[in-house]
Amino acid sequence: MAADAGAITDAGPASGAGEVEGKCVKPFTPEKAKEIIMSLQQPAVFCNMVFDWPARHWTAKHLSEVLHGKQIRFRMGMTSTDPVPQFETTCSYVEATLEEFLTWNCDQSSISGPFRDYDHSKFWAYADYKYFVNLFEDKTDVFQDVIWSDFGFPGRNGWESTLWIGSMGAHTPCHLDSYGCNLVFQVQGRKRWHLFPPEDTPFLYPTRIPYEESSVFSKINVVNPDVKRFPQFQKARRHTVTLSPGQVLFVPRHWWHYVESIDSVTVSINSWIELEEDHQARVEEAITRILVCALKTAENPHNTRAWLNPTEVEETSHEVNCRYLNGAVSAFFDHYGTSQVVETQALRTNRERRIKEELNVHNHMEAEPTGRPSLTSGTVKQEAASPFGPDLVPVIPSSQEPPSERGGIFERDGEDFVGKNGGRLGKLHCTKRQRMVNESENAAVEQTASNSALAPSQTFISTDDLLDCLVNPQVTRIVAQLLIQRSL
């Protein structure tokens, strides 16, 4: 089999881990790993960090023995090339054991059994979002098999983790997570990740239908995009990586991702790491919940399943949603305190003003040669050692030229990195940053117009079209800040 272009080779602990008195030593201490996770702004793959985890042996076969006879819900999707995403609201579901799943997945299923209506050649199955606390409720000792403390989070184990088991073709539609950052441990099989940076959000045509708290979906099937309907998507910067067993992918906050299983059976374990920004994000999500539920319920009060994701089981009444919003705002102030909120808002305003001033100052300057540090406000930024190497591999844009043509594989827009040979790659000129900002802003405005294939005189604005504007992430962020300010 030919090597995957996005694959990262991990030959085991001996390839990268050091040795002390005959014992393998992990390439990063927990403190260093956490420092990287909390500061890195691009996806990266950790290697040689989980070779001693008991969960390394959690194959689907092993889990079928541990969970013997336990019914699990599988999402069933079609192995089609339709440009429309397969959202969870359009999928069917099957309750089955892992033994029954493995039998069906080997194409040995008879006409009986829970998968009898699903031809293995036409469907995939995905047991996704399975929280350990629900799955292993009577076997909590297995929680210790997952050791997130190795990444600097003491006491974090399976209790805060989620299990994913799928067949080939099983996938998660492209979305971003509103809360936290993500650590994903690949146990069995390989998964291909398609990632896009937060700045590309307007190019991904965000939507909150179907609604799920903390998930902003894209209207685009990113592996088979309809570029005529969504032309701005062509500006999005795709980052692709194939995650193999024993590797851990770090997904920074608000990075879009589409994840697909490319082997016959895949098993993954993930944990969402809480971040400081989550406190305001919860206010933004509460605003979104109120608006989506109010408008969609008014449109059709008897068919919530058409727009409410199956993962959402809480009551959606306006009274409950308003309590949720007030609780989120109160929790925000409980965490920060009134004086700190005022200071934080002022710092944010000053930072935004300073960024705009920098962009204006550099707007007409000549671009500096790559390899020379750029000047910002008359100062040279302090060089920082790159954390990248054989045990931490950055996920780079798929269309990026070979490293030899760009000066190093660690270059990213608007940031200084040190290349493989220690050479400074330099900061890209601010006119490029200005162009990216302008393109994002223009795309947000153009998005609504391109969503409709009708002529302007025939355009019909639906409830979903209105919601795409009202609960656009940029809009809810502003509304949340206004709510917080008026509550001071």
Side-chain angles (χ1 to χ4, degrees):
M1 179 183 297
D4 191 295
I8 295 172
T9 303
D10 182 9
S15 66
E19 280 195 21
V20 175
E21 296 181 357
K23 294 183 178 180
C24 289
V25 178
K26 299 188 177 182
F28 303 105
T29 64
E31 295 76 17
K32 182 60 179 178
K34 184 175 183 179
E35 178 188 327
I36 292 170
I37 290 167
M38 290 306 186
S39 61
L40 198 60
Q41 297 300 310
Q42 88 179 95
V45 176
F46 284 92
C47 302
N48 299 306
M49 287 291 289
V50 296
F51 55 80
D52 59 346
W53 287 21
R56 180 80 185 261
H57 307 291
W58 280 21
T59 62
K61 176 66 175 172
H62 171 77
L63 290 170
S64 71
E65 297 168 357
V66 174
L67 297 169
H68 181 68
K70 187 177 182 66
Q71 294 281 307
I72 299 174
R73 195 183 200 200
F74 288 85
R75 177 161 59 96
M76 307 301 297
M78 297 192 68
T79 55
S80 68
T81 56
D82 196 313
V84 178
Q86 290 192 56
F87 292 124
E88 292 168 61
T89 49
T90 64
C91 291
S92 53
Y93 292 84
V94 164
E95 298 285 338
T97 65
L98 275 178
E99 291 94 335
E100 291 168 327
F101 161 73
L102 290 172
T103 299
W104 170 81
N105 199 45
C106 292
D107 205 16
Q108 299 173 354
S109 56
S110 62
I111 57 173
S112 62
F115 293 98
R116 61 183 175 275
D117 297 327
Y118 300 94
D119 185 332
H120 183 264
S121 66
K122 298 178 181 178
F123 288 88
W124 47 258
Y126 206 6
D128 51 0
Y129 295 100
K130 304 306 177 190
Y131 289 93
F132 278 39
V133 291
N134 299 325
L135 201 59
F136 301 104
E137 51 190 349
D138 56 345
K139 299 180 175 65
T140 56
D141 55 310
V142 304
F143 290 0
Q144 308 307 318
D145 289 3
V146 180
I147 315 170
W148 296 116
S149 57
D150 282 350
F151 289 86
F153 303 96
R156 197 177 194 92
N157 53 39
W159 184 269
E160 299 88 1
S161 302
T162 311
L163 186 68
W164 311 68
I165 305 171
S167 63
M168 183 179 291
H171 65 267
T172 305
C174 187
H175 68 286
L176 68 78
D177 300 315
S178 303
Y179 305 144
C181 59
N182 197 359
L183 288 175
V184 186
F185 167 34
Q186 192 62 28
V187 180
Q188 179 182 5
R190 296 169 301 154
K191 280 186 172 179
R192 182 175 293 121
W193 286 71
H194 303 256
L195 302 115
F196 303 86
E199 312 89 78
D200 287 359
T201 291
F203 309 143
L204 274 297
Y205 296 82
T207 182
R208 297 311 298 263
I209 304 298
Y211 172 74
E212 175 182 86
E213 182 185 353
S214 82
S215 293
V216 183
F217 290 102
S218 168
K219 292 182 177 182
I220 303 170
N221 179 352
V222 299
V223 295
N224 186 29
D226 183 346
V227 294
K228 289 185 177 179
R229 186 181 178 193
F230 305 112
Q232 295 290 332
F233 177 66
Q234 297 175 85
K235 299 179 182 178
R237 294 162 293 171
R238 186 192 303 261
H239 298 58
T240 308
V241 65
T242 298
L243 199 64
S244 298
Q247 297 174 340
V248 175
L249 175 66
F250 165 63
V251 182
R253 181 175 187 262
H254 285 184
W255 272 72
W256 292 85
H257 47 285
Y258 173 103
V259 190
E260 56 182 334
S261 298
I262 60 173
D263 281 330
S264 58
V265 181
T266 62
V267 177
S268 309
I269 298 171
N270 89 295
S271 188
W272 286 283
I273 308 298
E274 302 82 4
L275 297 173
E276 191 70 20
E277 294 88 345
D278 292 349
H279 298 286
Q280 179 171 314
R282 288 191 179 88
V283 179
E284 296 170 18
E285 284 298 298
I287 294 167
T288 299
R289 186 182 186 90
I290 284 180
L291 292 174
V292 171
C293 292
L295 288 181
K296 293 301 288 186
T297 302
E299 181 183 55
N300 188 343
H302 306 297
N303 190 22
T304 58
R305 289 298 105 188
W307 57 270
L308 193 65
N309 226 35
T311 54
E312 288 296 309
V313 295
E314 296 182 13
E315 186 181 349
T316 57
S317 71
H318 188 67
E319 180 183 2
V320 169
N321 291 341
C322 284
R323 287 205 299 267
Y324 186 81
L325 173 60
N326 280 276
V329 174
S330 297
F332 180 91
F333 282 107
D334 288 345
H335 177 77
Y336 288 108
T338 303
S339 60
Q340 190 173 348
V341 170
V342 174
E343 182 180 347
T344 301
Q345 295 287 351
L347 287 173
R348 180 182 295 112
T349 301
N350 290 335
R351 183 173 65 250
E352 291 171 353
R353 183 185 301 116
R354 189 166 59 251
I355 290 173
K356 289 180 179 179
E357 289 174 353
E358 289 180 11
L359 292 175
N360 289 333
V361 166
H362 291 280
N363 195 37
H364 301 292
M365 290 174 61
E366 292 292 324
E368 296 179 14
T370 301
R372 288 178 55 194
S374 65
L375 300 181
T376 302
S377 302
T379 61
V380 180
K381 278 197 170 184
Q382 182 72 30
E383 287 194 21
S386 168
F388 298 124
D391 298 303
L392 181 67
V393 184
V395 180
I396 58 178
S398 303
S399 59
Q400 183 168 310
E401 296 90 347
S404 60
E405 298 177 22
R406 291 284 296 271
I409 66 172
F410 306 139
E411 182 174 354
R412 291 186 67 240
D413 289 349
E415 293 184 16
D416 286 319
F417 282 94
V418 178
K420 275 186 175 179
N421 300 321
R424 189 174 179 82
L425 299 177
K427 182 185 274 288
L428 294 185
H429 190 253
C430 279
T431 52
K432 183 170 183 179
R433 290 174 59 199
Q434 179 73 69
R435 185 169 66 253
M436 290 304 300
V437 169
N438 291 339
E439 286 182 351
S440 295
E441 291 174 348
N442 292 338
V445 175
E446 295 171 15
Q447 175 183 324
T448 304
S450 63
N451 283 346
S452 175
L454 299 174
S457 61
Q458 298 174 301
T459 297
F460 171 75
I461 299 176
S462 67
T463 302
D464 290 1
D465 293 330
L466 178 59
L467 281 170
D468 285 342
C469 298
L470 289 177
V471 295
N472 183 285
Q474 295 175 340
V475 175
T476 53
R477 189 173 303 116
I478 293 172
V479 175
Q481 291 172 357
L482 289 172
L483 273 179
I484 290 167
Q485 289 172 1
R486 75 184 301 275
S487 300
L488 291 172

